[in-house]
Amino acid sequence: IAKIDIDGNILFIKSISEMLSENEIINETLFLDNDPTHLNDIKPAFENTNYWKKGDLFISIAHKSAIIHYRPSTNKIINYIRGPFYMQHDVDIISDKEISIFNNNNSVLKNSKFSEVVIYNFETKTFSKKFNQQLQNENFKTKYQGLSEILKDSSMLIEETLHGRLILFNKDGEKEWEFVNKDKNGDIGFVNWSRVIEDEIFIEQFKSLVENKKCTN
């Protein structure tokens, strides 16, 4: 992992393996995996709460089925979070005490038919699942990749990467719309790292830039 300023200067750099070793979380299974520190998402904390500090990082390590809550300023792993998720892909900060985890549920130890969105509450130290029955009803499963995006009004966008599908559920868990990335021949292509932009000022500025853009060709 690395932190780079707007001028391209490297401010901080750290090996995941060193981080685990220096915090004494390394074990023999780390050396048995051919990709033991598969890092697939990092979310920085931009403000202090009762459970993390500004600058802390939440790091998703898929092949350890773990979320690392890491503090670069002290080189300390604050929390090493494992739970009812396997080979997860996406981690997000969704409140001042919760993170969401996109659970691929890709486990050889159990028959995992569906992917899930798992919520971890730091206050209660408990896990819950969001719109789990709805995901099962949609036969929602992506063995690799995938993401969830919980919006300000508690609605949720989910990405089924391997099947090229996006679904938006409203705050009550009702399906608002579905998109499948299909061409005119019926072939389906992947979708990757989809996002909903909620910043209205950014949206208006972007629209203005596009509208006023003059083609140079």
Side-chain angles (χ1 to χ4, degrees):
I1 61 173
K3 182 178 182 180
I4 303 172
D5 69 15
I6 60 173
D7 296 317
N9 300 308
I10 297 176
L11 305 178
F12 176 84
I13 191 165
K14 190 69 180 177
S15 158
I16 297 294
S17 296
E18 287 179 349
M19 180 196 304
L20 292 170
S21 177
E22 290 164 0
N23 283 271
E24 300 181 348
I25 297 181
I26 203 164
N27 57 48
E28 68 277 3
T29 61
L30 187 64
F31 304 102
L32 299 178
D33 194 323
N34 62 0
D35 188 12
T37 56
H38 184 103
L39 192 163
N40 53 26
D41 194 20
I42 298 178
K43 286 296 185 300
F46 293 113
E47 58 185 25
N48 295 321
T49 76
N50 291 333
Y51 305 100
W52 54 79
K53 292 184 178 181
K54 182 179 180 179
D56 285 5
L57 303 176
F58 291 93
I59 304 169
S60 175
I61 304 296
H63 292 191
K64 296 286 100 182
S65 295
I67 302 296
I68 298 173
H69 173 195
Y70 176 63
R71 185 162 295 159
S73 61
T74 60
N75 190 36
K76 295 297 182 183
I77 291 178
I78 309 302
N79 294 287
Y80 188 74
I81 303 167
R82 303 193 73 185
F85 53 90
Y86 305 92
M87 301 286 285
Q88 79 292 333
H89 188 251
D90 178 36
V91 59
D92 292 316
I93 298 170
I94 61 171
S95 75
D96 61 0
K97 60 185 177 183
E98 295 171 304
I99 59 173
S100 67
I101 302 162
F102 183 87
N103 177 23
N104 293 79
N105 233 350
N106 184 14
S107 172
V108 296
L109 301 178
K110 69 172 189 174
N111 183 18
S112 304
K113 294 182 179 180
F114 308 103
S115 299
E116 301 172 331
V117 177
V118 177
I119 310 297
Y120 179 67
N121 186 306
F122 284 81
E123 182 178 54
T124 61
K125 297 182 179 179
T126 57
F127 294 93
S128 61
K129 297 175 182 179
K130 187 173 178 69
F131 299 159
N132 204 50
Q133 187 59 56
Q134 289 89 329
L135 295 181
Q136 292 186 26
N137 292 343
E138 293 293 336
N139 195 28
F140 185 84
K141 175 72 173 184
T142 182
K143 195 173 181 180
Y144 306 109
Q145 301 189 55
L147 63 79
S148 61
E149 186 97 350
I150 298 173
L151 308 181
K152 294 175 183 177
D153 65 353
S154 296
S155 58
M156 184 173 75
L157 173 76
I158 52 172
E159 177 188 290
E160 192 180 29
T161 303
L162 297 189
H163 302 289
R165 181 166 63 148
L166 300 172
I167 301 175
L168 180 72
F169 295 104
N170 66 22
K171 64 180 181 179
D172 299 316
E174 301 165 336
K175 184 164 73 170
E176 290 282 336
W177 54 260
E178 175 181 282
F179 168 77
V180 178
N181 187 29
K182 186 182 297 185
D183 67 16
K184 63 182 180 181
N185 297 318
D187 296 323
I188 295 174
F190 286 4
V191 286
N192 297 90
W193 292 109
S194 306
R195 286 291 184 269
V196 173
I197 300 173
E198 296 189 90
D199 186 333
E200 294 183 6
I201 295 177
F202 174 85
I203 292 170
E204 291 304 316
Q205 289 176 338
F206 184 80
K207 285 167 63 177
S208 178
L209 285 173
V210 172
E211 290 169 358
N212 297 322
K213 184 72 173 179
K214 293 183 179 181
C215 180
T216 58
N217 295 328

